[in-house]
Amino acid sequence: MTVVAVGPGDPSMLTLRGRRALESADLVVGFKTVLDVVSEWCGKAEMRPMSYRDQEDVLEYAAGQVAAGSKCVVCCWGDLNVSAHELLARVYRRAESVELIPGVSSIQMACARSGIAMEESLFITLHRRDGGESALSELEHYLNEGRRNIILLPRPFDLMPPQIAGDLVAAGIPAQRQVTVYQRLTLEGEKTWTGSLEQCSSLDEEFSDLSIMVFLRPSGDAH
């Protein structure tokens, strides 16, 4: 099987290597929202959407097709190095040979929008089924340290920007600490919000599950 990361959502962010893999595929599987992004490059390939409920069954079907000699591509959002480990584990259990084709990530896009460098930044994700508390403690530590910009991936839908901001203030992070929240990067309806943790904690709007938070270090203004 080949796993292709399609980028943050804009079809033009798909890599050339990923596009070639799709064009030569016999079967392409992935969540429907992802398949909608890549469908124009899938030619005559069978398109098999999956959901959280039936992804095991769809991947079993894909494994059977590969065993019969078909070329199968599994698509996922963003970059394979960001929040795709559970999907990759499911693929590895079913395929003797797996090719990974990484893509652009929302982390890179957030850096570009903020004008910050990766080598001056730290990435923390809450997008995991366990360990959310330890990740929040890590976030508090590095905010207090103040040496790097911090890029934070919230966890839909129970650890989103307002709750995270409120938890940070309750933990002693200054209420006036600035944060920027990006939503739906590269997609139609992309939004940017900037303000203090106190202001963020009081927001009652519904945030997209495609959100990312950026905390600039105190001396690290964007270029």
Side-chain angles (χ1 to χ4, degrees):
M1 291 189 194
T2 299
V3 183
V4 171
V6 305
D10 182 343
S12 67
M13 294 288 176
L14 180 67
T15 65
L16 291 175
R17 187 175 175 188
R19 179 173 171 174
R20 286 195 293 267
L22 289 165
E23 290 172 338
S24 64
D26 300 305
L27 170 67
V28 180
V29 305
F31 289 94
K32 183 181 183 304
T33 52
V34 181
L35 297 186
D36 288 343
V37 173
V38 302
S39 60
E40 62 185 290
W41 293 294
C42 294
K44 296 181 179 179
E46 177 187 359
M47 307 284 284
R48 181 63 70 96
M50 65 185 185
S51 65
Y52 286 110
R53 291 183 177 181
D54 68 0
Q55 60 183 324
E56 297 284 357
D57 293 335
V58 173
L59 290 173
E60 280 294 327
Y61 172 77
Q65 295 298 105
V66 170
S70 296
K71 294 181 179 179
C72 174
V73 171
V74 180
C75 292
C76 67
W77 284 119
D79 191 322
L80 297 174
N81 303 306
V82 181
S83 302
H85 63 280
E86 291 185 357
L87 175 62
L88 292 179
R90 290 185 173 93
V91 172
Y92 280 125
R93 288 199 298 269
R94 293 172 168 86
E96 295 182 3
S97 176
V98 178
E99 179 186 10
L100 303 181
I101 303 180
V104 176
S105 71
S106 59
I107 310 307
Q108 292 168 290
M109 294 306 305
C111 284
R113 294 286 193 269
S114 302
I116 58 178
M118 287 291 288
E119 63 263 30
E120 298 173 348
S121 306
L122 178 72
F123 170 61
I124 299 175
T125 180
L126 303 178
H127 202 281
R128 48 197 293 187
R129 297 185 186 279
D130 58 356
E133 293 76 12
S134 62
L136 281 172
S137 297
E138 185 180 17
L139 173 61
E140 295 165 16
H141 169 79
Y142 286 107
L143 284 172
N144 282 318
E145 188 179 61
R147 295 177 58 188
R148 295 188 182 186
N149 308 304
I150 299 176
I151 304 162
L152 180 74
L153 194 64
R155 185 174 68 202
F157 289 90
D158 59 335
L159 278 175
M160 295 297 281
Q163 181 178 342
I164 293 168
D167 289 346
L168 290 173
V169 172
I173 303 299
Q176 296 308 308
R177 179 67 187 264
Q178 295 291 292
V179 59
T180 295
V181 182
Y182 296 103
Q183 299 183 71
R184 297 179 58 79
L185 282 168
T186 79
L187 295 171
E188 182 179 355
E190 177 179 330
K191 294 181 180 180
T192 303
W193 181 93
T194 299
S196 69
L197 287 176
E198 184 177 39
Q199 292 170 326
C200 184
S201 68
S202 64
L203 294 174
D204 58 4
E205 67 179 90
E206 183 176 347
F207 281 82
S208 166
D209 58 331
L210 301 176
S211 295
I212 191 165
M213 303 173 74
V214 175
F215 301 82
L216 295 180
R217 60 183 180 177
S219 59
D221 295 335
H223 298 301

mmCIF file of all heavy atoms in Angstrom, residues 140-182:
data_model
loop_
_atom_site.group_PDB
_atom_site.id
_atom_site.type_symbol
_atom_site.label_atom_id
_atom_site.label_comp_id
_atom_site.label_asym_id
_atom_site.label_seq_id
_atom_site.Cartn_x
_atom_site.Cartn_y
_atom_site.Cartn_z
ATOM 1 N N GLU A 140 2.365 24.427 29.528
ATOM 2 C CA GLU A 140 2.552 25.401 30.604
ATOM 3 C C GLU A 140 4.038 25.631 30.884
ATOM 4 O O GLU A 140 4.480 26.771 31.054
ATOM 5 C CB GLU A 140 1.855 24.910 31.871
ATOM 6 C CG GLU A 140 0.338 24.826 31.761
ATOM 7 C CD GLU A 140 -0.274 24.012 32.884
ATOM 8 O OE1 GLU A 140 0.439 23.790 33.901
ATOM 9 O OE2 GLU A 140 -1.437 23.574 32.762
ATOM 10 N N HIS A 141 4.805 24.543 30.919
ATOM 11 C CA HIS A 141 6.243 24.648 31.195
ATOM 12 C C HIS A 141 6.941 25.532 30.167
ATOM 13 O O HIS A 141 7.702 26.443 30.523
ATOM 14 C CB HIS A 141 6.874 23.257 31.211
ATOM 15 C CG HIS A 141 8.371 23.268 31.234
ATOM 16 N ND1 HIS A 141 9.100 23.506 32.387
ATOM 17 C CD2 HIS A 141 9.280 23.094 30.228
ATOM 18 C CE1 HIS A 141 10.393 23.472 32.105
ATOM 19 N NE2 HIS A 141 10.529 23.227 30.806
ATOM 20 N N TYR A 142 6.693 25.272 28.897
ATOM 21 C CA TYR A 142 7.411 26.008 27.857
ATOM 22 C C TYR A 142 6.900 27.433 27.697
ATOM 23 O O TYR A 142 7.647 28.326 27.289
ATOM 24 C CB TYR A 142 7.365 25.244 26.537
ATOM 25 C CG TYR A 142 8.285 24.049 26.544
ATOM 26 C CD1 TYR A 142 7.782 22.748 26.616
ATOM 27 C CD2 TYR A 142 9.665 24.218 26.520
ATOM 28 C CE1 TYR A 142 8.632 21.659 26.654
ATOM 29 C CE2 TYR A 142 10.525 23.136 26.557
ATOM 30 C CZ TYR A 142 10.004 21.858 26.624
ATOM 31 O OH TYR A 142 10.863 20.778 26.673
ATOM 32 N N LEU A 143 5.625 27.679 28.020
ATOM 33 C CA LEU A 143 5.136 29.055 28.034
ATOM 34 C C LEU A 143 5.837 29.849 29.136
ATOM 35 O O LEU A 143 6.212 31.014 28.934
ATOM 36 C CB LEU A 143 3.623 29.091 28.232
ATOM 37 C CG LEU A 143 2.766 28.739 27.020
ATOM 38 C CD1 LEU A 143 1.301 28.625 27.427
ATOM 39 C CD2 LEU A 143 2.930 29.783 25.920
ATOM 40 N N ASN A 144 5.998 29.234 30.295
ATOM 41 C CA ASN A 144 6.703 29.907 31.391
ATOM 42 C C ASN A 144 8.181 30.111 31.054
ATOM 43 O O ASN A 144 8.769 31.140 31.409
ATOM 44 C CB ASN A 144 6.571 29.096 32.681
ATOM 45 C CG ASN A 144 5.215 29.267 33.340
ATOM 46 O OD1 ASN A 144 4.691 30.373 33.409
ATOM 47 N ND2 ASN A 144 4.646 28.175 33.830
ATOM 48 N N GLU A 145 8.761 29.156 30.359
ATOM 49 C CA GLU A 145 10.174 29.262 29.987
ATOM 50 C C GLU A 145 10.388 30.401 28.990
ATOM 51 O O GLU A 145 11.371 31.150 29.081
ATOM 52 C CB GLU A 145 10.650 27.936 29.398
ATOM 53 C CG GLU A 145 12.149 27.870 29.155
ATOM 54 C CD GLU A 145 12.562 26.512 28.600
ATOM 55 O OE1 GLU A 145 12.081 26.151 27.514
ATOM 56 O OE2 GLU A 145 13.362 25.825 29.260
ATOM 57 N N GLY A 146 9.496 30.514 28.011
ATOM 58 C CA GLY A 146 9.513 31.650 27.100
ATOM 59 C C GLY A 146 10.650 31.688 26.104
ATOM 60 O O GLY A 146 10.943 32.753 25.539
ATOM 61 N N ARG A 147 11.282 30.559 25.811
ATOM 62 C CA ARG A 147 12.444 30.564 24.917
ATOM 63 C C ARG A 147 12.081 30.311 23.460
ATOM 64 O O ARG A 147 12.845 30.647 22.560
ATOM 65 C CB ARG A 147 13.456 29.513 25.383
ATOM 66 C CG ARG A 147 14.077 29.807 26.746
ATOM 67 C CD ARG A 147 15.015 28.695 27.163
ATOM 68 N NE ARG A 147 16.084 28.503 26.184
ATOM 69 C CZ ARG A 147 16.951 27.491 26.233
ATOM 70 N NH1 ARG A 147 16.841 26.567 27.175
ATOM 71 N NH2 ARG A 147 17.892 27.391 25.327
ATOM 72 N N ARG A 148 10.936 29.688 23.225
ATOM 73 C CA ARG A 148 10.556 29.347 21.856
ATOM 74 C C ARG A 148 9.115 29.743 21.561
ATOM 75 O O ARG A 148 8.296 29.871 22.473
ATOM 76 C CB ARG A 148 10.695 27.831 21.616
ATOM 77 C CG ARG A 148 12.104 27.294 21.698
ATOM 78 C CD ARG A 148 12.110 25.858 21.263
ATOM 79 N NE ARG A 148 13.423 25.256 21.358
ATOM 80 C CZ ARG A 148 13.721 24.033 20.919
ATOM 81 N NH1 ARG A 148 12.760 23.295 20.356
ATOM 82 N NH2 ARG A 148 14.928 23.545 21.034
ATOM 83 N N ASN A 149 8.840 29.940 20.273
ATOM 84 C CA ASN A 149 7.453 30.009 19.845
ATOM 85 C C ASN A 149 6.841 28.622 20.048
ATOM 86 O O ASN A 149 7.536 27.609 19.943
ATOM 87 C CB ASN A 149 7.360 30.373 18.360
ATOM 88 C CG ASN A 149 8.145 31.614 18.012
ATOM 89 O OD1 ASN A 149 7.932 32.671 18.603
ATOM 90 N ND2 ASN A 149 9.062 31.498 17.060
ATOM 91 N N ILE A 150 5.555 28.584 20.314
ATOM 92 C CA ILE A 150 4.881 27.298 20.514
ATOM 93 C C ILE A 150 3.723 27.178 19.539
ATOM 94 O O ILE A 150 2.882 28.074 19.429
ATOM 95 C CB ILE A 150 4.379 27.140 21.953
ATOM 96 C CG1 ILE A 150 5.551 27.198 22.934
ATOM 97 C CG2 ILE A 150 3.621 25.811 22.106
ATOM 98 C CD1 ILE A 150 5.142 27.153 24.382
ATOM 99 N N ILE A 151 3.706 26.061 18.825
ATOM 100 C CA ILE A 151 2.620 25.743 17.900
ATOM 101 C C ILE A 151 1.842 24.594 18.524
ATOM 102 O O ILE A 151 2.401 23.525 18.791
ATOM 103 C CB ILE A 151 3.173 25.323 16.528
ATOM 104 C CG1 ILE A 151 4.087 26.423 15.968
ATOM 105 C CG2 ILE A 151 2.046 25.017 15.555
ATOM 106 C CD1 ILE A 151 5.006 25.939 14.869
ATOM 107 N N LEU A 152 0.562 24.813 18.780
ATOM 108 C CA LEU A 152 -0.249 23.832 19.501
ATOM 109 C C LEU A 152 -1.405 23.353 18.638
ATOM 110 O O LEU A 152 -2.156 24.150 18.078
ATOM 111 C CB LEU A 152 -0.807 24.456 20.789
ATOM 112 C CG LEU A 152 -1.681 23.521 21.635
ATOM 113 C CD1 LEU A 152 -0.829 22.485 22.348
ATOM 114 C CD2 LEU A 152 -2.511 24.315 22.640
ATOM 115 N N LEU A 153 -1.545 22.042 18.546
ATOM 116 C CA LEU A 153 -2.670 21.445 17.834
ATOM 117 C C LEU A 153 -3.712 21.021 18.861
ATOM 118 O O LEU A 153 -3.466 20.091 19.643
ATOM 119 C CB LEU A 153 -2.182 20.240 17.029
ATOM 120 C CG LEU A 153 -3.128 19.690 15.960
ATOM 121 C CD1 LEU A 153 -3.356 20.737 14.874
ATOM 122 C CD2 LEU A 153 -2.560 18.423 15.347
ATOM 123 N N PRO A 154 -4.873 21.702 18.918
ATOM 124 C CA PRO A 154 -5.924 21.315 19.870
ATOM 125 C C PRO A 154 -6.490 19.932 19.565
ATOM 126 O O PRO A 154 -6.180 19.338 18.536
ATOM 127 C CB PRO A 154 -7.000 22.398 19.666
ATOM 128 C CG PRO A 154 -6.284 23.537 19.031
ATOM 129 C CD PRO A 154 -5.226 22.899 18.166
ATOM 130 N N ARG A 155 -7.324 19.445 20.484
ATOM 131 C CA ARG A 155 -7.955 18.142 20.285
ATOM 132 C C ARG A 155 -9.453 18.348 20.088
ATOM 133 O O ARG A 155 -10.158 18.737 21.017
ATOM 134 C CB ARG A 155 -7.718 17.228 21.488
ATOM 135 C CG ARG A 155 -8.263 15.810 21.266
ATOM 136 C CD ARG A 155 -7.887 14.908 22.424
ATOM 137 N NE ARG A 155 -8.558 15.278 23.657
ATOM 138 C CZ ARG A 155 -8.115 14.958 24.870
ATOM 139 N NH1 ARG A 155 -6.985 14.295 24.993
ATOM 140 N NH2 ARG A 155 -8.776 15.317 25.954
ATOM 141 N N PRO A 156 -9.937 18.089 18.879
ATOM 142 C CA PRO A 156 -11.382 18.221 18.651
ATOM 143 C C PRO A 156 -12.117 17.132 19.426
ATOM 144 O O PRO A 156 -11.682 15.985 19.396
ATOM 145 C CB PRO A 156 -11.528 18.003 17.151
ATOM 146 C CG PRO A 156 -10.143 18.127 16.593
ATOM 147 C CD PRO A 156 -9.223 17.693 17.663
ATOM 148 N N PHE A 157 -13.181 17.399 20.077
ATOM 149 C CA PHE A 157 -13.776 18.732 20.214
ATOM 150 C C PHE A 157 -13.751 19.137 21.688
ATOM 151 O O PHE A 157 -14.350 20.127 22.083
ATOM 152 C CB PHE A 157 -15.230 18.697 19.726
ATOM 153 C CG PHE A 157 -15.349 18.537 18.234
ATOM 154 C CD1 PHE A 157 -15.426 17.290 17.653
ATOM 155 C CD2 PHE A 157 -15.338 19.668 17.431
ATOM 156 C CE1 PHE A 157 -15.527 17.169 16.279
ATOM 157 C CE2 PHE A 157 -15.446 19.550 16.068
ATOM 158 C CZ PHE A 157 -15.534 18.300 15.481
ATOM 159 N N ASP A 158 -13.050 18.370 22.500
ATOM 160 C CA ASP A 158 -13.106 18.586 23.943
ATOM 161 C C ASP A 158 -11.962 19.432 24.475
ATOM 162 O O ASP A 158 -11.998 19.863 25.630
ATOM 163 C CB ASP A 158 -13.142 17.238 24.676
ATOM 164 C CG ASP A 158 -11.924 16.373 24.371
ATOM 165 O OD1 ASP A 158 -11.317 16.560 23.309
ATOM 166 O OD2 ASP A 158 -11.590 15.515 25.195
ATOM 167 N N LEU A 159 -10.930 19.676 23.698
ATOM 168 C CA LEU A 159 -9.831 20.556 24.123
ATOM 169 C C LEU A 159 -9.576 21.563 23.012
ATOM 170 O O LEU A 159 -8.596 21.469 22.279
ATOM 171 C CB LEU A 159 -8.566 19.744 24.440
ATOM 172 C CG LEU A 159 -8.503 19.096 25.813
ATOM 173 C CD1 LEU A 159 -7.254 18.228 25.941
ATOM 174 C CD2 LEU A 159 -8.510 20.146 26.919
ATOM 175 N N MET A 160 -10.474 22.523 22.912
ATOM 176 C CA MET A 160 -10.425 23.532 21.872
ATOM 177 C C MET A 160 -9.916 24.856 22.449
ATOM 178 O O MET A 160 -9.763 24.993 23.671
ATOM 179 C CB MET A 160 -11.804 23.683 21.240
ATOM 180 C CG MET A 160 -12.261 22.421 20.512
ATOM 181 S SD MET A 160 -11.193 21.984 19.103
ATOM 182 C CE MET A 160 -11.803 23.132 17.861
ATOM 183 N N PRO A 161 -9.618 25.850 21.610
ATOM 184 C CA PRO A 161 -8.939 27.069 22.077
ATOM 185 C C PRO A 161 -9.514 27.734 23.324
ATOM 186 O O PRO A 161 -8.742 28.048 24.254
ATOM 187 C CB PRO A 161 -8.997 27.974 20.849
ATOM 188 C CG PRO A 161 -8.903 27.023 19.705
ATOM 189 C CD PRO A 161 -9.720 25.832 20.124
ATOM 190 N N PRO A 162 -10.846 27.994 23.445
ATOM 191 C CA PRO A 162 -11.316 28.670 24.664
ATOM 192 C C PRO A 162 -11.020 27.891 25.948
ATOM 193 O O PRO A 162 -10.601 28.487 26.955
ATOM 194 C CB PRO A 162 -12.828 28.797 24.417
ATOM 195 C CG PRO A 162 -12.963 28.827 22.928
ATOM 196 C CD PRO A 162 -11.927 27.847 22.449
ATOM 197 N N GLN A 163 -11.238 26.574 25.928
ATOM 198 C CA GLN A 163 -10.974 25.791 27.132
ATOM 199 C C GLN A 163 -9.477 25.744 27.436
ATOM 200 O O GLN A 163 -9.067 25.852 28.599
ATOM 201 C CB GLN A 163 -11.503 24.364 26.983
ATOM 202 C CG GLN A 163 -11.260 23.522 28.239
ATOM 203 C CD GLN A 163 -11.822 22.123 28.144
ATOM 204 O OE1 GLN A 163 -12.680 21.852 27.305
ATOM 205 N NE2 GLN A 163 -11.356 21.229 28.992
ATOM 206 N N ILE A 164 -8.660 25.600 26.402
ATOM 207 C CA ILE A 164 -7.211 25.582 26.608
ATOM 208 C C ILE A 164 -6.752 26.892 27.214
ATOM 209 O O ILE A 164 -5.965 26.920 28.171
ATOM 210 C CB ILE A 164 -6.485 25.317 25.274
ATOM 211 C CG1 ILE A 164 -6.782 23.901 24.780
ATOM 212 C CG2 ILE A 164 -4.977 25.529 25.412
ATOM 213 C CD1 ILE A 164 -6.348 23.632 23.355
ATOM 214 N N ALA A 165 -7.250 28.013 26.673
ATOM 215 C CA ALA A 165 -6.875 29.325 27.199
ATOM 216 C C ALA A 165 -7.292 29.461 28.662
ATOM 217 O O ALA A 165 -6.511 29.946 29.504
ATOM 218 C CB ALA A 165 -7.514 30.417 26.355
ATOM 219 N N GLY A 166 -8.512 29.025 28.982
ATOM 220 C CA GLY A 166 -8.973 29.095 30.366
ATOM 221 C C GLY A 166 -8.136 28.240 31.299
ATOM 222 O O GLY A 166 -7.815 28.654 32.420
ATOM 223 N N ASP A 167 -7.776 27.041 30.845
ATOM 224 C CA ASP A 167 -6.949 26.156 31.666
ATOM 225 C C ASP A 167 -5.569 26.764 31.912
ATOM 226 O O ASP A 167 -5.007 26.637 33.004
ATOM 227 C CB ASP A 167 -6.797 24.795 30.982
ATOM 228 C CG ASP A 167 -8.083 23.975 30.990
ATOM 229 O OD1 ASP A 167 -9.000 24.331 31.741
ATOM 230 O OD2 ASP A 167 -8.159 22.986 30.233
ATOM 231 N N LEU A 168 -5.026 27.437 30.906
ATOM 232 C CA LEU A 168 -3.699 28.050 31.057
ATOM 233 C C LEU A 168 -3.739 29.196 32.063
ATOM 234 O O LEU A 168 -2.846 29.333 32.907
ATOM 235 C CB LEU A 168 -3.187 28.547 29.704
ATOM 236 C CG LEU A 168 -2.804 27.463 28.698
ATOM 237 C CD1 LEU A 168 -2.468 28.088 27.340
ATOM 238 C CD2 LEU A 168 -1.615 26.643 29.198
ATOM 239 N N VAL A 169 -4.775 30.028 31.983
ATOM 240 C CA VAL A 169 -4.912 31.132 32.943
ATOM 241 C C VAL A 169 -5.078 30.581 34.356
ATOM 242 O O VAL A 169 -4.465 31.068 35.314
ATOM 243 C CB VAL A 169 -6.094 32.040 32.565
ATOM 244 C CG1 VAL A 169 -6.358 33.066 33.674
ATOM 245 C CG2 VAL A 169 -5.824 32.749 31.243
ATOM 246 N N ALA A 170 -5.883 29.523 34.499
ATOM 247 C CA ALA A 170 -6.093 28.906 35.807
ATOM 248 C C ALA A 170 -4.800 28.312 36.356
ATOM 249 O O ALA A 170 -4.610 28.233 37.573
ATOM 250 C CB ALA A 170 -7.167 27.827 35.708
ATOM 251 N N ALA A 171 -3.898 27.915 35.450
ATOM 252 C CA ALA A 171 -2.628 27.321 35.867
ATOM 253 C C ALA A 171 -1.569 28.377 36.173
ATOM 254 O O ALA A 171 -0.444 28.035 36.558
ATOM 255 C CB ALA A 171 -2.116 26.381 34.784
ATOM 256 N N GLY A 172 -1.907 29.665 35.981
ATOM 257 C CA GLY A 172 -0.969 30.727 36.337
ATOM 258 C C GLY A 172 -0.290 31.430 35.181
ATOM 259 O O GLY A 172 0.525 32.329 35.393
ATOM 260 N N ILE A 173 -0.606 31.042 33.947
ATOM 261 C CA ILE A 173 -0.062 31.756 32.792
ATOM 262 C C ILE A 173 -0.731 33.130 32.741
ATOM 263 O O ILE A 173 -1.960 33.216 32.898
ATOM 264 C CB ILE A 173 -0.313 30.984 31.481
ATOM 265 C CG1 ILE A 173 0.290 29.573 31.559
ATOM 266 C CG2 ILE A 173 0.266 31.741 30.285
ATOM 267 C CD1 ILE A 173 1.779 29.534 31.754
ATOM 268 N N PRO A 174 0.023 34.220 32.535
ATOM 269 C CA PRO A 174 -0.576 35.559 32.532
ATOM 270 C C PRO A 174 -1.762 35.660 31.579
ATOM 271 O O PRO A 174 -1.688 35.232 30.424
ATOM 272 C CB PRO A 174 0.581 36.461 32.085
ATOM 273 C CG PRO A 174 1.804 35.731 32.547
ATOM 274 C CD PRO A 174 1.489 34.271 32.374
ATOM 275 N N ALA A 175 -2.851 36.240 32.077
ATOM 276 C CA ALA A 175 -4.076 36.328 31.293
ATOM 277 C C ALA A 175 -3.907 37.174 30.043
ATOM 278 O O ALA A 175 -4.653 37.007 29.071
ATOM 279 C CB ALA A 175 -5.204 36.906 32.160
ATOM 280 N N GLN A 176 -2.922 38.072 30.027
ATOM 281 C CA GLN A 176 -2.708 38.934 28.872
ATOM 282 C C GLN A 176 -1.751 38.328 27.844
ATOM 283 O O GLN A 176 -1.444 38.982 26.841
ATOM 284 C CB GLN A 176 -2.183 40.303 29.337
ATOM 285 C CG GLN A 176 -3.175 41.074 30.191
ATOM 286 C CD GLN A 176 -4.544 41.179 29.534
ATOM 287 O OE1 GLN A 176 -4.679 41.589 28.386
ATOM 288 N NE2 GLN A 176 -5.594 40.781 30.283
ATOM 289 N N ARG A 177 -1.281 37.103 28.097
ATOM 290 C CA ARG A 177 -0.411 36.449 27.127
ATOM 291 C C ARG A 177 -1.153 36.310 25.797
ATOM 292 O O ARG A 177 -2.290 35.858 25.743
ATOM 293 C CB ARG A 177 0.013 35.065 27.645
ATOM 294 C CG ARG A 177 0.917 34.267 26.707
ATOM 295 C CD ARG A 177 2.274 34.929 26.566
ATOM 296 N NE ARG A 177 3.090 34.284 25.573
ATOM 297 C CZ ARG A 177 4.009 33.350 25.841
ATOM 298 N NH1 ARG A 177 4.225 32.974 27.091
ATOM 299 N NH2 ARG A 177 4.718 32.819 24.879
ATOM 300 N N GLN A 178 -0.494 36.706 24.707
ATOM 301 C CA GLN A 178 -1.137 36.724 23.394
ATOM 302 C C GLN A 178 -1.101 35.337 22.730
ATOM 303 O O GLN A 178 -0.150 34.571 22.903
ATOM 304 C CB GLN A 178 -0.451 37.741 22.483
ATOM 305 C CG GLN A 178 -0.591 39.183 22.957
ATOM 306 C CD GLN A 178 -2.019 39.684 22.832
ATOM 307 O OE1 GLN A 178 -2.535 39.867 21.740
ATOM 308 N NE2 GLN A 178 -2.670 39.918 23.978
ATOM 309 N N VAL A 179 -2.153 35.048 21.975
ATOM 310 C CA VAL A 179 -2.237 33.800 21.224
ATOM 311 C C VAL A 179 -2.952 34.081 19.908
ATOM 312 O O VAL A 179 -3.834 34.947 19.838
ATOM 313 C CB VAL A 179 -2.991 32.714 22.030
ATOM 314 C CG1 VAL A 179 -4.403 33.165 22.369
ATOM 315 C CG2 VAL A 179 -3.025 31.392 21.270
ATOM 316 N N THR A 180 -2.554 33.393 18.873
ATOM 317 C CA THR A 180 -3.230 33.473 17.581
ATOM 318 C C THR A 180 -3.829 32.115 17.260
ATOM 319 O O THR A 180 -3.170 31.085 17.442
ATOM 320 C CB THR A 180 -2.250 33.886 16.461
ATOM 321 O OG1 THR A 180 -1.778 35.210 16.708
ATOM 322 C CG2 THR A 180 -2.933 33.867 15.095
ATOM 323 N N VAL A 181 -5.074 32.127 16.816
ATOM 324 C CA VAL A 181 -5.756 30.889 16.438
ATOM 325 C C VAL A 181 -6.058 30.935 14.944
ATOM 326 O O VAL A 181 -6.722 31.864 14.466
ATOM 327 C CB VAL A 181 -7.072 30.695 17.220
ATOM 328 C CG1 VAL A 181 -7.721 29.356 16.836
ATOM 329 C CG2 VAL A 181 -6.824 30.767 18.725
ATOM 330 N N TYR A 182 -5.537 29.955 14.218
ATOM 331 C CA TYR A 182 -5.836 29.821 12.793
ATOM 332 C C TYR A 182 -6.866 28.710 12.623
ATOM 333 O O TYR A 182 -6.768 27.660 13.256
ATOM 334 C CB TYR A 182 -4.581 29.458 12.006
ATOM 335 C CG TYR A 182 -3.504 30.510 12.035
ATOM 336 C CD1 TYR A 182 -2.384 30.355 12.849
ATOM 337 C CD2 TYR A 182 -3.592 31.665 11.263
ATOM 338 C CE1 TYR A 182 -1.392 31.318 12.890
ATOM 339 C CE2 TYR A 182 -2.605 32.628 11.290
ATOM 340 C CZ TYR A 182 -1.507 32.454 12.111
ATOM 341 O OH TYR A 182 -0.523 33.413 12.138
#
